[in-house]
Amino acid sequence: MTQIVEPSFRESVDLMFNRAVALMDLPPGLEEKIRVCNATYTVRFGVRLRGQIQTFTGYRSVHSEHMEPVKGGIRFALGVNQDEVEALAALMTYKCALVEAPFGGSKGGLRIDPRQYEEHELERITRRFAYELAKRDLIHPSQNVPAPDMGTGEREMAWIADQYARMNTTDINAKACVTGKPLNAGGISGRVEATGRGVQYALQEFFRDPEGMKKANMTGSLDGKRVIVQGLGNVGYHAAKFLSEENGALITGIIERDGALFSSDGLDVEAVHQWIIKHGGITGFPDANHTAEGSAVLEEDCDILIPAALEGVINLSNAANIKAPLIIEAANGPVTAGGDEILRERGTVIIPDMYANAGGVTVSYFEWVKNLSHIRFGRMQRRQEEARHQLVIDELSRLDEHMGDAWSMTPQFKDKYLRGAGELELVRSGLDDTMRIAYQSMRDVWHERDDAHDLRTAAYLVSIGKVAASYRAKGL
Ligand code: NAD
C-alpha cells in the first residue's frame, strides 16, 4: 500500500504560492526572491525554575523585508518548529501586502506548553525570550514588531514591551516595539477582538458578492446560517460571538481540544466561553450534545466551517468528507495543499487565511501608528464632531416644533447622531474598510481572470503583485 505523504506546512504555503506565481509574468529570479525566507534565528536559553535550569527553544523568522518593520505574532505552543515559523512568516508577508499594512512578514515561536507554568514563571520565560530577540533587533519599533498568536495575548505583549523599554530607556517610541498590548500599556481599543471581528467583516463582504455566493451555492444572508467553529480561543470565540449575536448565525458546532459540542438550535457562545474559563474545557457543558471525537465534527453538515485553531486540520485524510460549501480560514494554514486541491475540485469555496484573519495585523497596524503618534485616535476630533452634529440637531428641533405631529425626530436618531466617534468606533470602521477593500481586490481577480479559479489563487496574485511592485520600486 502506498502511503499518502502530506507536504509540510511551509511546503504547503510554497505550493500554493507556486500555483499562483505560475500565472504571473515576473522577471527571472524575482519569484524565487519573494518565495524564500530571508532568515530564521533560533535561540536556546535557560531559565532557573523550581530549583533547576530549564532550557527553552525559540525562533524568530523574517520572511521578507521589502517593507520594514517586519511584523508577525509570537506563538507559545509545544508544536512550534522552524518549518512552522517560516510558513507563518511567509503568510504574514502576503497578508500584509493584501490588506495594505506597510510591513514585511515575520513570525516567532517558543516551544512551550504555557498551561504547564505559573504566571510568574511564564513572565520570566517571556522576558528572557524578549531579551534574546531585542538584543538582536528582532524586536524593535522600526525593524521587527511582534504581536499575539496562539498561546499568547495581552499579558505577554505587556511583558515584552516592558522588557524592551528597560533595555532602551531613551527610546521615545519604545511602546511601538510590539502590538496587542493592554489598553493601559499602550494598546488600542478593539485589538483583542480584531481577528474575530475581521472574520465577521470578511463574511459580511462575501455575502455582498452575489457571484461569489453563487459559486458557493449559497443564497440569502448570514441570518440562520449554520456554522461550525474549531477552536474557541481568541479568534474563534470572537468570530462565533459576533456572528451569532449580531448576524443571527447559528453556531451549531464548537470543536475544542477535549471534543466537540453540537446543537442544531445553535449554541450560546458566551455561555460555552465562560464554561471553558471555569472548567478548562467544554466537557460537561449542559444543553448540548458532546462527543470526544472532536475533529469528526469538521465533517458534519453545515453552511460555514470556521477552522480557528491549528494548521493542517483539513487535509488529504478528511477533505473529501467536508460538507460545508464555504470554509473561512480563521486560523493560519488550516487546509493543507492536498486538502485544498480536493476541496477545489469539489467546488467548495475557501476564503483564505491570508485575508480571513488579517483583522489582527490590521488593528496592530493602527496600534503601531497610535504608539508612534503618541495620541489616542479620535482625541482631537470627537467633541468637535459632536458640536457640529449638535448644530444640525438644534436646527432639526426647530423644524420639529413647526411641523407639529406631521414629522418628528426619534430619540434614538438624536442619540446616535450626536455621538462622536471614539477610538473603538474608528478602529472598527478602519478594519471594516480594510476588509471590504481587500476582498474586492481578490474578488475582481477571481471573477475576471479565467485562470484564477479560486479565492486563494486570487489573493496570492494580488499580494505577490504588490510585493513585486515594491521590490521593483527599490530597484531590485
Ligand atoms: P488561542 O490560543 O487564543 O486559541 C486557540 C484555541 O484552539 C484554544 O481555545 C485551544 O484550546 C483550541 N485548540 C487547540 N488545539 C485544538 C485542537 N486540536 N482541536 C480543537 N481546538 C483546539 O489562539 P488564537 O490567537 O485564537 O489563534 C488561533 C489561530 O488563529 C492560529 O492559527 C493563529 O495563528 C491564528 N491567528 C491569530 C491571530 C490573533 O490575533 N490572535 C491573528 C491572525 C491569525
Side-chain angles (χ1 to χ4, degrees):
M1 205 174 82
T2 52
Q3 208 192 342
I4 311 169
V5 181
E6 196 89 57
S8 73
F9 187 11
R10 192 181 51 77
E11 287 165 347
S12 245
V13 172
D14 284 352
L15 283 167
M16 292 168 179
F17 172 95
N18 291 346
R19 196 172 74 220
V21 93
L23 309 175
M24 299 176 80
D25 193 16
L26 293 184
L30 184 54
E31 170 188 329
E32 170 78 356
K33 174 67 209 80
I34 296 176
R35 180 177 38 236
V36 297
C37 181
N38 288 3
T40 301
Y41 173 67
T42 306
V43 61
R44 295 179 189 87
F45 59 89
V47 181
R48 182 174 286 279
L49 298 167
R50 305 173 195 176
Q52 65 176 57
I53 293 176
Q54 290 194 28
T55 303
F56 297 91
T57 304
Y59 305 89
R60 186 80 184 155
S61 177
V62 175
H63 175 260
S64 177
E65 291 150 288
H66 68 288
M67 285 200 188
E68 283 181 313
V70 293
K71 193 132 193 30
I74 289 184
R75 174 175 288 196
F76 282 5
L78 271 181
V80 163
N81 58 62
Q82 182 167 347
D83 184 281
E84 178 187 78
V85 177
E86 291 187 356
L88 290 165
L91 280 176
M92 283 306 298
T93 296
Y94 310 133
K95 188 181 303 185
C96 290
L98 184 66
V99 296
E100 298 188 329
F103 304 123
S106 183
K107 200 82 180 192
L110 187 65
R111 199 182 297 154
I112 183 178
D113 178 359
R115 292 171 307 166
Q116 302 305 320
Y117 294 90
E118 304 274 332
E119 184 166 1
H120 69 275
E121 295 174 325
L122 266 180
E123 178 174 353
R124 288 184 56 203
I125 300 163
T126 306
R127 283 184 180 277
R128 182 61 202 269
F129 186 34
Y131 169 81
E132 294 294 336
L133 297 181
K135 198 164 77 171
R136 293 167 179 87
D137 292 338
L138 290 166
I139 295 177
H140 192 285
S142 60
Q143 291 190 42
N144 199 323
V145 183
D149 194 75
M150 244 169 79
T152 58
E154 286 191 330
R155 183 184 64 175
E156 288 74 14
M157 301 305 115
W159 291 333
I160 293 173
D162 185 63
Q163 185 63 35
Y164 181 87
R166 287 186 191 189
M167 295 165 70
N168 298 273
T169 49
T170 56
D171 185 350
I172 195 168
N173 291 321
K175 281 197 165 63
C177 76
V178 64
T179 57
K181 302 177 293 290
L183 204 51
N184 60 12
I188 192 168
S189 307
R191 176 58 184 89
V192 176
E193 67 169 41
T195 310
R197 183 64 80 183
V199 171
Q200 177 197 29
Y201 289 160
L203 278 172
Q204 287 176 182
E205 190 57 12
F206 178 82
F207 274 77
R208 290 187 200 104
D209 171 16
E211 237 181 296
M213 290 198 34
K214 208 163 129 206
K215 288 180 182 174
N217 249 325
M218 295 187 97
T219 52
S221 67
L222 277 163
D223 192 18
K225 291 284 179 294
R226 296 160 307 151
V227 178
I228 294 178
V229 186
Q230 183 189 40
L232 208 68
N234 176 303
V235 180
Y237 159 64
H238 286 103
K241 181 179 166 72
F242 299 144
L243 287 167
S244 60
E245 290 178 4
E246 297 173 17
N247 299 95
L250 291 178
I251 309 301
T252 51
I254 291 176
I255 308 168
E256 257 295 331
R257 289 174 203 267
D258 57 335
L261 296 173
F262 52 96
S263 158
S264 53
D265 299 333
L267 295 153
D268 179 341
V269 176
E270 190 53 45
V272 179
H273 174 65
Q274 292 304 330
W275 184 271
I276 295 176
I277 292 176
K278 202 161 166 205
H279 303 274
I282 54 169
T283 309
F285 180 78
D287 314 324
N289 298 306
H290 178 265
T291 169
E293 269 300 300
S295 54
V297 175
L298 289 170
E299 300 170 17
E300 286 296 317
D301 203 15
C302 66
D303 299 305
I304 304 170
L305 181 59
I306 312 185
L310 310 166
E311 54 259 20
V313 292
I314 300 172
N315 48 46
L316 289 170
S317 74
N318 63 355
N321 304 328
I322 301 288
K323 296 186 190 63
L326 178 65
I327 298 176
I328 177 159
E329 296 183 327
N332 282 307
V335 179
T336 64
D340 189 63
E341 204 168 316
I342 295 171
L343 289 165
R344 267 185 297 128
E345 273 165 23
R346 287 165 49 101
T348 308
V349 171
I350 302 177
I351 303 180
D353 47 7
M354 79 170 79
Y355 166 69
N357 66 37
V361 75
T362 301
V363 177
S364 275
Y365 167 39
F366 301 156
E367 180 177 333
W368 181 72
V369 170
K370 175 186 179 181
N371 293 152
L372 294 179
S373 58
H374 299 267
I375 187 164
R376 157 169 60 79
F377 287 106
R379 182 163 176 181
M380 303 296 276
Q381 310 92 318
R382 184 175 188 172
R383 303 303 168 194
Q384 194 262 356
E385 201 183 311
E386 285 180 3
R388 278 157 52 100
H389 287 180
Q390 187 66 54
L391 286 177
V392 177
I393 293 289
D394 290 348
E395 212 48 28
L396 286 173
S397 303
R398 225 169 39 79
L399 263 178
D400 214 354
E401 279 166 24
H402 279 88
M403 301 284 283
D405 286 343
W407 180 84
S408 77
M409 261 183 294
T410 60
Q412 298 94 308
F413 165 77
K414 240 184 185 174
D415 283 352
K416 280 191 187 157
Y417 189 69
L418 268 178
R419 209 170 37 237
E423 188 167 78
L424 184 61
E425 288 81 18
L426 291 170
V427 163
R428 286 180 180 161
S429 151
L431 175 59
D432 194 8
D433 188 55
T434 303
M435 297 307 288
R436 288 185 198 219
I437 289 177
Y439 182 83
Q440 288 157 15
S441 67
M442 297 187 302
R443 179 202 62 193
D444 291 349
V445 174
W446 186 30
H447 298 333
E448 282 162 24
R449 275 184 73 148
D450 292 337
D451 53 2
H453 302 294
D454 58 296
L455 266 174
R456 193 189 313 279
T457 305
Y460 270 105
L461 286 171
V462 173
S463 64
I464 298 169
K466 288 190 176 159
V467 177
S470 72
Y471 271 121
R472 264 192 229 109
K474 282 179 165 214
L476 193 77

